[in-house]
Amino acid sequence: MATTKTPVVFIHGLWLAASSWQPWVDLFAERGYDPIAPTWPGEGLTVAEARANPEAAAGYGINEVTEHYAQIIDGLEEQPILVGHSFGGMIVEKLLGQDRGRAGIAIDAAQIKGVLPVPLSSLRATLPVFRNFANEKRAVSLTAPQFRYGFGNAVTEEESDALHERWTIPSPGKPLFEAASANFSRHSPAEVDTGNEARGPLLLIMGGKDRTVPEAITKATLKQYEGSSAVTELVEFPDRGHSLTVDSGWREVADCVLSWIEARVTADAEA
């Protein structure tokens, strides 16, 4: 009897297209998983489509994006492993807290409610959105220099510019405004059920040179999970920036994720 392959759902964050996960999708498929990388709601299926119609993605917030992926997950034959980057990492945390995943990997995940540090580099990286309050209802693009500061600072300028040209798309400003006001909102969309003890294991990954989600944010996120007995672990890549899932060193991160899944998910299931 054929066995069902474990599904894996990849969730991207702001400014990187869903197709930027393709090398990961190919690798996970080779390793026997059934991976998918859906777009955000309103987002074009390709980089070109997303750039040609940016306002189609405007106005979607954290809850809308989370529900979008929840519906996709609910249509799968079995619970998936969730892998997300940046705001996609936050979405992974929310979905895992809702028991919608066997396990979650949140890479340089955006700030959730309860996390207090707001490093200056993070503010500068998100300035393209916050410089205009009207951007809450718009889709915003990054210039190559802005991408270089917030994503590609740990790679060469040539590589950063190439990544910007290949993968960047306009993204809604609303999630950033929601995350920024999370600690002042009683029912913030950025709230995560960090106390859920029945959830699957969670791996937080951080880049030591990340300017958009500096290590202070990820370490503070880890502390939010201290009240739960569920597995929560942290891995740091000291010399990596926010582009660590798409730049020339992506395979090192992907191999780490696969090894963790095999140790924490596959091995436990077989035990």
Side-chain angles (χ1 to χ4, degrees):
M1 179 181 294
T3 58
T4 303
K5 295 182 178 180
T6 300
V8 180
V9 177
F10 290 99
I11 307 176
H12 69 88
L14 299 179
W15 297 306
L16 290 178
S19 54
S20 67
W21 284 115
Q22 194 58 50
W24 291 68
V25 169
D26 294 341
L27 176 63
F28 274 64
E30 291 172 5
R31 295 288 287 269
Y33 296 92
D34 185 16
I36 57 173
T39 62
W40 279 30
E43 179 186 313
L45 294 178
T46 67
V47 171
E49 290 175 4
R51 290 174 180 172
N53 190 20
E55 292 311 310
Y60 289 101
I62 295 168
N63 281 341
E64 291 88 350
V65 178
T66 302
E67 180 57 27
H68 171 75
Y69 282 96
Q71 290 180 10
I72 293 171
I73 290 167
D74 290 347
L76 300 175
E77 292 186 8
E78 63 177 85
Q79 274 199 334
I81 296 167
L82 307 171
V83 183
H85 172 249
S86 198
F87 262 94
M90 174 198 281
I91 303 302
V92 163
E93 292 182 64
K94 286 180 67 68
L95 292 167
L96 193 66
Q98 297 171 5
D99 296 318
R100 280 194 157 98
R102 293 181 59 185
I105 297 91
I107 305 170
D108 286 340
Q111 195 163 347
I112 65 174
K113 183 177 180 179
V115 171
L116 300 180
V118 185
L120 290 177
S121 68
S122 183
L123 291 174
R124 179 177 170 183
T126 53
L127 186 60
V129 172
F130 290 131
R131 63 163 43 111
N132 188 337
F133 287 117
N135 285 337
E136 183 175 3
K137 297 181 179 180
R138 296 173 176 168
V140 182
S141 299
L142 294 183
T143 65
Q146 289 167 345
F147 181 86
R148 168 74 168 155
Y149 181 84
F151 282 75
N153 60 292
V155 298
T156 65
E157 183 174 0
E158 181 181 12
E159 181 177 358
S160 178
D161 289 349
L163 292 171
H164 175 268
E165 175 59 29
R166 185 177 186 185
W167 296 126
T168 58
I169 60 172
S171 290
K174 187 176 181 179
L176 277 170
F177 282 92
E178 291 175 329
S181 63
N183 292 324
F184 306 98
S185 174
R186 185 176 181 182
H187 301 292
S188 169
E191 186 172 6
V192 170
D193 186 2
T194 56
N196 182 352
E197 300 197 354
R199 65 163 172 82
L202 172 65
L203 175 64
L204 301 174
I205 293 179
M206 66 182 184
K209 292 185 176 180
D210 193 329
R211 290 172 172 170
T212 300
V213 184
E215 61 180 41
I217 290 177
T218 306
K219 289 178 178 178
T221 299
L222 180 64
K223 290 183 178 181
Q224 294 296 305
Y225 286 94
E226 289 181 346
S228 171
S229 61
V231 171
T232 309
E233 297 177 319
L234 174 66
V235 169
E236 178 179 9
F237 289 86
D239 297 324
R240 307 299 297 281
H242 204 60
S243 67
L244 78 174
T245 59
V246 295
D247 62 34
S248 55
W250 73 269
R251 181 62 188 263
E252 180 185 16
V253 184
D255 284 341
C256 170
V257 171
L258 281 165
S259 295
W260 184 83
I261 290 172
E262 290 167 2
R264 280 299 190 184
V265 184
T266 308
D268 288 350
E270 295 175 350

